[in-house]
Amino acid sequence: MAYYLAGINALSFLLHAIHTRRYADRKAGWIRALFTVTVLAGGSPGALLAILLLDRKAEKRNMMALVLAVCALIVQVILLLFCSGAHRQELTFDVGGFFGQHRWLVLYLAAINLAACAAFAIDKFRAVRHLSRIRIVTLLLLAFLGGTVGALLAMYVFRHKTNKDYFAVGVPMILVTHLVLLFYAMNA
Protein backbone atom coordinates (compact mmCIF):
# COMPACT_ATOMS: atom_id res chain seq x y z
CA MET A 1 0.00 0.00 0.00
CA ALA A 2 2.84 2.38 0.82
CA TYR A 3 4.46 1.76 -2.58
CA TYR A 4 1.15 2.39 -4.32
CA LEU A 5 0.58 5.69 -2.48
CA ALA A 6 4.16 6.82 -3.13
CA GLY A 7 3.84 5.97 -6.83
CA ILE A 8 0.43 7.55 -7.35
CA ASN A 9 1.51 10.73 -5.54
CA ALA A 10 4.72 10.93 -7.57
CA LEU A 11 2.73 10.46 -10.78
CA SER A 12 0.21 13.11 -9.72
CA PHE A 13 3.06 15.53 -8.93
CA LEU A 14 4.74 14.77 -12.25
CA LEU A 15 1.56 15.22 -14.31
CA HIS A 16 0.87 18.59 -12.75
CA ALA A 17 4.48 19.63 -13.27
CA ILE A 18 4.35 18.63 -16.95
CA HIS A 19 1.09 20.47 -17.47
CA THR A 20 2.38 23.57 -15.70
CA ARG A 21 5.68 23.72 -17.56
CA ARG A 22 4.73 22.43 -20.98
CA TYR A 23 1.03 23.00 -21.61
CA ALA A 24 0.18 26.00 -19.41
CA ASP A 25 -0.65 28.17 -22.43
CA ARG A 26 -2.76 25.60 -24.32
CA LYS A 27 -5.19 22.78 -23.69
CA ALA A 28 -3.87 19.34 -22.93
CA GLY A 29 -7.03 17.49 -22.00
CA TRP A 30 -5.45 14.06 -21.73
CA ILE A 31 -2.94 15.25 -19.13
CA ARG A 32 -5.68 16.97 -17.10
CA ALA A 33 -7.84 13.83 -17.31
CA LEU A 34 -4.98 11.60 -16.19
CA PHE A 35 -4.15 14.08 -13.43
CA THR A 36 -7.77 13.93 -12.21
CA VAL A 37 -7.69 10.14 -12.15
CA THR A 38 -4.43 10.06 -10.18
CA VAL A 39 -5.75 12.62 -7.67
CA LEU A 40 -8.94 10.62 -7.13
CA ALA A 41 -6.94 7.39 -6.86
CA GLY A 42 -5.03 8.70 -3.83
CA GLY A 43 -2.58 11.17 -5.34
CA SER A 44 -4.06 14.30 -3.78
CA PRO A 45 -1.06 15.03 -1.49
CA GLY A 46 1.30 14.87 -4.47
CA ALA A 47 -0.99 17.10 -6.51
CA LEU A 48 -1.30 19.61 -3.70
CA LEU A 49 2.46 19.64 -3.23
CA ALA A 50 2.98 20.27 -6.95
CA ILE A 51 0.46 23.10 -6.93
CA LEU A 52 2.03 24.71 -3.86
CA LEU A 53 5.58 24.39 -5.20
CA LEU A 54 5.06 25.08 -8.90
CA ASP A 55 1.86 27.15 -9.06
CA ARG A 56 2.04 29.33 -5.98
CA LYS A 57 0.06 32.11 -7.59
CA ALA A 58 -3.65 31.31 -7.65
CA GLU A 59 -4.80 31.82 -11.24
CA LYS A 60 -7.80 30.78 -13.30
CA ARG A 61 -5.81 28.10 -15.10
CA ASN A 62 -4.86 26.22 -11.92
CA MET A 63 -7.97 26.87 -9.82
CA MET A 64 -9.84 23.68 -10.73
CA ALA A 65 -6.77 21.56 -9.97
CA LEU A 66 -6.46 23.23 -6.57
CA VAL A 67 -10.14 22.71 -5.70
CA LEU A 68 -9.97 19.07 -6.83
CA ALA A 69 -6.78 18.37 -4.86
CA VAL A 70 -8.02 19.94 -1.62
CA CYS A 71 -11.45 18.28 -1.77
CA ALA A 72 -9.95 14.90 -2.64
CA LEU A 73 -7.39 15.20 0.18
CA ILE A 74 -10.09 15.96 2.78
CA VAL A 75 -12.29 13.08 1.63
CA GLN A 76 -9.32 10.68 1.45
CA VAL A 77 -8.21 11.59 4.99
CA ILE A 78 -11.75 10.97 6.27
CA LEU A 79 -11.87 7.62 4.44
CA LEU A 80 -8.53 6.72 6.00
CA LEU A 81 -9.87 7.62 9.45
CA PHE A 82 -12.98 5.51 8.84
CA CYS A 83 -10.93 2.55 7.62
CA SER A 84 -8.65 2.79 10.67
CA GLY A 85 -11.69 2.58 12.96
CA ALA A 86 -11.73 6.18 14.21
CA HIS A 87 -15.52 6.36 14.41
CA ARG A 88 -18.44 5.23 16.55
CA GLN A 89 -19.56 1.65 16.43
CA GLU A 90 -23.10 2.61 15.46
CA LEU A 91 -23.24 5.16 12.65
CA THR A 92 -25.81 7.92 12.93
CA PHE A 93 -27.50 10.11 10.36
CA ASP A 94 -29.24 12.41 12.86
CA VAL A 95 -28.33 15.78 11.34
CA GLY A 96 -30.99 17.61 13.33
CA GLY A 97 -29.70 16.24 16.61
CA PHE A 98 -26.12 17.13 15.70
CA PHE A 99 -27.02 20.72 14.84
CA GLY A 100 -29.21 20.88 17.97
CA GLN A 101 -26.14 20.10 20.07
CA HIS A 102 -23.97 22.54 18.09
CA ARG A 103 -26.13 25.65 17.73
CA TRP A 104 -23.07 27.82 17.18
CA LEU A 105 -22.42 25.85 14.00
CA VAL A 106 -25.87 26.70 12.68
CA LEU A 107 -25.23 30.42 13.31
CA TYR A 108 -21.82 30.20 11.68
CA LEU A 109 -23.16 28.41 8.60
CA ALA A 110 -25.99 30.94 8.26
CA ALA A 111 -23.54 33.84 8.45
CA ILE A 112 -20.98 32.36 6.02
CA ASN A 113 -23.69 31.41 3.52
CA LEU A 114 -25.12 34.93 3.63
CA ALA A 115 -21.61 36.31 3.13
CA ALA A 116 -20.96 33.98 0.18
CA CYS A 117 -24.30 34.83 -1.43
CA ALA A 118 -23.65 38.56 -0.96
CA ALA A 119 -20.11 38.27 -2.37
CA PHE A 120 -21.37 36.54 -5.53
CA ALA A 121 -24.14 39.13 -5.91
CA ILE A 122 -21.68 42.00 -5.49
CA ASP A 123 -19.30 40.41 -7.99
CA LYS A 124 -22.11 40.06 -10.52
CA PHE A 125 -23.11 43.69 -9.99
CA ARG A 126 -19.49 44.78 -10.48
CA ALA A 127 -19.11 42.58 -13.59
CA VAL A 128 -22.16 44.13 -15.25
CA ARG A 129 -20.90 47.63 -14.48
CA HIS A 130 -17.28 46.83 -15.51
CA LEU A 131 -15.93 47.69 -12.05
CA SER A 132 -13.18 45.97 -10.08
CA ARG A 133 -14.15 42.40 -9.23
CA ILE A 134 -13.93 40.14 -6.22
CA ARG A 135 -11.05 37.69 -6.62
CA ILE A 136 -11.85 34.10 -7.57
CA VAL A 137 -9.83 32.89 -4.60
CA THR A 138 -12.03 34.93 -2.25
CA LEU A 139 -15.24 33.53 -3.71
CA LEU A 140 -13.96 29.95 -3.53
CA LEU A 141 -12.61 30.50 -0.01
CA LEU A 142 -16.06 31.60 1.14
CA ALA A 143 -17.42 28.37 -0.31
CA PHE A 144 -14.67 26.30 1.37
CA LEU A 145 -15.36 27.93 4.71
CA GLY A 146 -18.92 26.62 4.63
CA GLY A 147 -20.73 28.94 2.25
CA THR A 148 -21.41 26.46 -0.54
CA VAL A 149 -25.19 26.66 -0.33
CA GLY A 150 -25.12 30.47 -0.48
CA ALA A 151 -22.59 30.35 -3.32
CA LEU A 152 -24.67 27.87 -5.35
CA LEU A 153 -27.85 29.83 -4.71
CA ALA A 154 -26.24 33.07 -5.87
CA MET A 155 -24.62 31.42 -8.89
CA TYR A 156 -27.95 30.28 -10.26
CA VAL A 157 -30.18 33.13 -9.06
CA PHE A 158 -27.84 35.78 -10.48
CA ARG A 159 -26.59 33.59 -13.35
CA HIS A 160 -23.03 34.29 -12.33
CA LYS A 161 -19.94 32.09 -12.75
CA THR A 162 -21.99 29.15 -14.01
CA ASN A 163 -19.79 28.76 -17.12
CA LYS A 164 -16.53 28.47 -15.15
CA ASP A 165 -15.64 24.89 -14.27
CA TYR A 166 -13.94 25.85 -11.03
CA PHE A 167 -17.32 27.19 -9.88
CA ALA A 168 -19.86 25.03 -11.75
CA VAL A 169 -18.02 21.83 -10.81
CA GLY A 170 -15.87 23.07 -7.94
CA VAL A 171 -18.58 24.46 -5.65
CA PRO A 172 -20.73 21.27 -5.80
CA MET A 173 -17.53 19.29 -5.18
CA ILE A 174 -16.89 21.44 -2.11
CA LEU A 175 -20.48 20.83 -0.99
CA VAL A 176 -19.99 17.05 -1.22
CA THR A 177 -16.76 17.44 0.77
CA HIS A 178 -18.68 19.36 3.44
CA LEU A 179 -21.31 16.63 3.59
CA VAL A 180 -18.59 14.00 4.09
CA LEU A 181 -17.06 16.18 6.83
CA LEU A 182 -20.47 16.56 8.49
CA PHE A 183 -21.07 12.80 8.39
CA TYR A 184 -17.67 12.17 9.97
CA ALA A 185 -18.19 14.87 12.63
CA MET A 186 -21.51 13.25 13.57
CA ASN A 187 -19.87 9.85 13.90
CA ALA A 188 -16.39 10.65 15.26
Side-chain angles (χ1 to χ4, degrees):
M1 184 63 149
Y3 290 120
Y4 168 77
L5 287 175
I8 201 76
N9 279 287
L11 182 59
S12 186
F13 184 95
L14 184 64
L15 287 169
H16 188 74
I18 290 169
H19 186 268
T20 301
R21 298 293 182 229
R22 181 113 194 220
Y23 298 105
D25 57 338
R26 58 188 184 273
K27 298 256 184 204
W30 65 274
I31 287 185
R32 290 322 281 164
L34 193 55
F35 172 78
T36 301
V37 169
T38 60
V39 168
L40 295 176
S44 56
L48 208 50
L49 184 64
I51 292 167
L52 293 174
L53 291 177
L54 305 173
D55 266 352
R56 284 186 223 149
K57 188 175 179 185
E59 297 174 339
K60 290 179 182 181
R61 67 174 178 77
N62 69 354
M63 202 53 59
M64 188 62 213
L66 182 61
V67 170
L68 173 69
V70 171
C71 287
L73 180 65
I74 292 169
V75 170
Q76 289 165 0
V77 166
I78 290 172
L79 285 173
L80 184 67
L81 289 170
F82 254 97
C83 290
S84 68
H87 60 82
R88 293 182 186 170
Q89 284 299 100
E90 299 230 0
L91 298 180
T92 181
F93 295 93
D94 185 18
V95 177
F98 178 78
F99 282 123
Q101 293 175 353
H102 301 92
R103 293 180 196 268
W104 61 270
L105 187 57
V106 174
L107 295 173
Y108 170 77
L109 288 174
I112 196 71
N113 278 289
L114 283 172
C117 189
F120 274 81
I122 291 167
D123 192 53
K124 173 66 175 190
F125 176 81
R126 288 180 175 179
V128 169
R129 302 234 184 315
H130 302 291
L131 299 172
S132 64
R133 306 279 301 278
I134 296 176
R135 295 180 58 209
I136 295 168
V137 174
T138 304
L139 295 172
L140 285 172
L141 184 62
L142 285 168
F144 261 112
L145 293 176
T148 52
V149 174
L152 281 170
L153 182 69
M155 282 172 59
Y156 291 101
V157 166
F158 301 115
R159 293 188 196 124
H160 188 54
K161 299 288 190 186
T162 55
N163 296 351
K164 308 296 182 195
D165 64 346
Y166 39 86
F167 286 105
V169 175
V171 174
M173 190 183 313
I174 296 168
L175 178 62
V176 169
T177 303
H178 287 160
L179 293 174
V180 170
L181 273 169
L182 174 65
F183 179 73
Y184 184 73
M186 291 186 327
N187 292 291

